[in-house]
Amino acid sequence: MKRFLMFLSLCGLLYTTGCTHKEEEKEEETKFLVTNPLKNDTTITNQYVCQVRSIQHIELRALEKGYLQKIFVDEGQVVQQGQIMFQILPIQYQAELQKAQAEANFAEVEYKNTKSLADSNIVSKAELALAKAKLDKANAEVTVAKVHLGFTEIRAPFTGIMDHFYVREGSLLNEGDLLTTISDNSKMWVYFNVPEAEYLNYKTHAQEENLDHVNLLMANQQVFDYPGVVKTIEADFNNETGNIAFRATFPNPKGLLRHGETGNIQMTLPLKNALIIPQKATFEVLEKKYVYVLDKDDKIRSREVAIAAELPHIFVIKSGLKPDDKILLEGLRQVKENEKIHYKFLKPDSVINNLSLYAE
């Protein structure tokens, strides 16, 4: 009897242990979060390396040879249109003007005498015409001498900012020697190159979406206060790079931008029916992006995807997925290829709208 009771107790213990083990297995069964790609209209912001240029940036060169007598401005100074900047020693050109003026006076006296004689029929009209030609030539030489003398004063062709000097006072200048450069920074031209596919997207939606406005991300990673407007696109693509050059004009009322700066143009483009997934649903192998997709048997299969654009927390898929594919949202490091999983499905719009709540 005692043995029988012990046998019953042992069976009861084994039954209880087995049930507990099954319950623990059931409780430990992991459910992974799964969702679909979201198909939706969105916008992407593309960035392009750019170069900032003044709307006017020119070299100032000596138009006459001679000694640089005086510099009236300083490097980095704002100069006004017509303001004198450099003075080349004018003595030689003043002397040439005086000589030309004296010859003109002599030719005028000679012409008047010849005209008086011609009026009295003492000399022919041909001699009068010759005297008139000499006077005209002398007056022209006076004009040329005045121009050369004027070239000894170099004035600002427009209001702008001086660059550094290439010469100093007392320098001997030859015609064409570089003195300095001057920049008009009231507006800036910003040049950037756009790939062919993005150019086509831009031209398709530019008018209806008002895409001609762009922003400038400066070298300090701050966005420039004033937006620019795309006003010019070059005629031809670069056959080597497949890009075409754009030019945007930016106002620069505070003078913050200078000629020669670099940065990044930010251009917003619309994407129709874009396929969107969370970035956290992807993993990388040898610089390629992959996701885990569930097959009809709820088994995990890795699949490579091509990324069309990257936005905060999400990727826009170029190829590799369809809207009805089920992708693993979390636990990517806890599963293996061809493993069957239990999952909980989440609607893609709720996933995308609450990405910050689903941190892995």
Side-chain angles (χ1 to χ4, degrees), residues 7 13-14 45-46 51 72 75 95 139 155-156 168 197 203 210-211 233 319 351 353:
F7 176 75
L13 179 62
L14 292 173
T45 300
N46 292 331
Q51 296 179 328
F72 297 93
E75 297 173 331
N139 287 333
R155 299 179 178 271
R168 295 293 184 269
K203 293 298 290 182
N210 192 27
L211 299 181
I233 302 174
S319 62
V351 172
N353 292 332

Side-chain angles (χ1 to χ4, degrees), residues 69-315:
Q69 183 180 35
K70 182 68 176 176
I71 299 177
F72 297 93
V73 292
D74 199 1
E75 297 173 331
Q77 178 182 337
V78 176
V79 294
Q80 302 299 317
Q81 184 177 7
Q83 180 179 345
I84 186 170
M85 302 168 67
F86 301 94
Q87 173 73 65
I88 298 174
L89 192 64
I91 295 177
Q92 175 185 350
Y93 301 99
Q94 288 173 341
E96 290 179 354
L97 175 60
Q98 292 173 353
K99 177 183 177 183
Q101 188 65 62
E103 291 178 351
N105 292 338
F106 176 80
E108 183 177 7
V109 171
E110 190 176 47
Y111 169 73
K112 288 180 179 180
N113 290 336
T114 303
K115 187 176 185 304
S116 177
L117 294 174
D119 291 342
S120 302
N121 294 321
I122 299 175
V123 296
S124 66
K125 292 183 178 180
E127 289 188 34
L128 178 62
L130 182 60
K132 181 65 168 60
K134 290 181 179 179
L135 176 60
D136 291 342
K137 179 182 177 183
N139 287 333
E141 289 177 351
V142 170
T143 302
V144 171
K146 287 180 179 180
V147 169
H148 283 290
L149 180 60
F151 285 163
T152 62
E153 290 184 351
I154 300 171
R155 299 179 178 271
F158 51 79
T159 299
I161 300 177
M162 295 282 299
D163 197 3
H164 66 275
F165 297 143
Y166 293 90
V167 293
R168 295 293 184 269
E169 289 185 3
S171 299
L172 177 61
L173 304 178
N174 289 313
E175 183 178 343
D177 281 355
L178 179 62
L179 305 178
T180 187
T181 58
I182 182 172
S183 301
D184 179 1
N185 292 342
S186 58
K187 294 181 181 179
M188 307 301 290
W189 282 346
V190 179
Y191 293 87
F192 58 102
N193 294 320
V194 176
E196 184 176 354
E198 294 173 19
Y199 159 80
L200 294 173
N201 289 337
Y202 171 84
K203 293 298 290 182
T204 301
H205 303 288
Q207 294 182 349
E208 59 190 54
E209 302 287 348
N210 192 27
L211 299 181
D212 56 347
H213 286 75
V214 295
N215 292 317
L216 173 62
L217 183 67
M218 298 181 291
N220 62 354
Q221 301 304 306
Q222 299 294 316
V223 177
F224 186 56
D225 290 339
Y226 304 93
V229 179
V230 176
K231 292 188 174 181
T232 300
I233 302 174
E234 287 191 1
D236 301 326
F237 278 88
N238 186 319
N239 292 331
E240 295 181 357
T241 64
N243 295 335
I244 192 169
F246 280 49
R247 190 190 77 197
T249 302
F250 283 79
N252 191 32
K254 298 179 182 178
L256 179 62
L257 299 180
R258 296 291 181 98
H259 181 85
E261 285 187 43
T262 60
N264 288 279
I265 285 291
Q266 296 178 331
M267 178 184 290
T268 301
L269 295 173
L271 284 181
K272 302 294 184 182
N273 297 320
L275 209 60
I276 300 170
I277 65 170
Q279 290 189 17
K280 63 189 280 116
T282 67
F283 61 97
E284 190 170 313
V285 178
L286 298 176
E287 299 183 353
K288 294 182 179 180
K289 297 290 185 183
Y290 291 84
V291 296
Y292 280 124
V293 181
L294 270 69
D295 63 13
K296 61 181 180 179
D297 299 322
D298 297 337
K299 291 185 178 180
I300 290 293
R301 309 282 187 183
S302 61
R303 186 184 298 176
E304 183 183 351
V305 293
I307 306 300
E310 181 177 348
L311 303 174
H313 305 298
I314 64 175
F315 285 132

